Amino acid sequence: YFVNYLILTGAISVTIFLFSFVLKKISKQFSLVTRLKDTFAISIYSFLPYALAVVILFPIELVLFGGDVFSNNPTPIQLKPAIAYTLTIIELGVLCWSVFLSITAFYSQSKNFIYGLTFGLALNLILFAECYIASIYLFNY
């Protein structure tokens, strides 16, 4: 598992770096002056809620559901539905907060709402797709 986590962490880091590099080139087409490290920093900043969720929510889920948090037989929703739905709503709030932060971060960089919305959603969709694909190929035991 540790090697898989290292692979996923490396892939996410490379993806964010490449996204920042491509965004710098695209921004130049819109006459926006951006630095690579600024774009990389605001991209990382927008994913801070996920780090907080791992530190705060994940231990709570482990305490409440134990090893069944990773199981589909029975699912945590079948074991403790009220708690599972509550934690799911909190996780969706974290997801929305992160998407909001990425959109506002790119907006503050460009002062253009369409630019911020487009690239904020693009970064989130790319990373969600990458994590989904990794969950299929890396963590399918």
Side-chain angles (χ1 to χ4, degrees), residues 28-104:
K28 197 177 284 187
Q29 300 296 325
F30 290 110
S31 301
L32 295 171
V33 179
T34 60
R35 295 185 306 178
L36 181 66
K37 66 181 180 178
D38 291 340
T39 306
F40 189 73
I42 64 171
S43 299
I44 297 294
Y45 160 77
S46 67
F47 291 106
L48 182 65
Y50 295 125
L52 294 175
V54 166
V55 171
I56 297 170
L57 285 178
F58 186 64
I60 292 171
E61 290 173 356
L62 284 178
V63 167
L64 292 174
F65 299 116
D68 293 325
V69 76
F70 301 110
S71 174
N72 287 332
N73 189 16
T75 64
I77 291 176
Q78 292 171 332
L79 293 173
K80 299 175 184 175
I83 295 172
Y85 284 122
T86 303
L87 289 173
T88 301
I89 290 169
I90 293 170
E91 288 176 1
L92 286 173
V94 167
L95 176 101
C96 291
W97 181 27
S98 180
V99 171
F100 172 76
L101 284 178
S102 66
I103 291 169
T104 55

Side-chain angles (χ1 to χ4, degrees), residues 104-124:
T104 55
F106 287 117
Y107 169 75
S108 68
Q109 185 181 32
S110 67
K111 302 296 183 221
N112 184 340
F113 180 74
I114 301 298
Y115 179 94
L117 183 68
T118 302
F119 292 112
L121 290 177
L123 178 62
N124 281 286

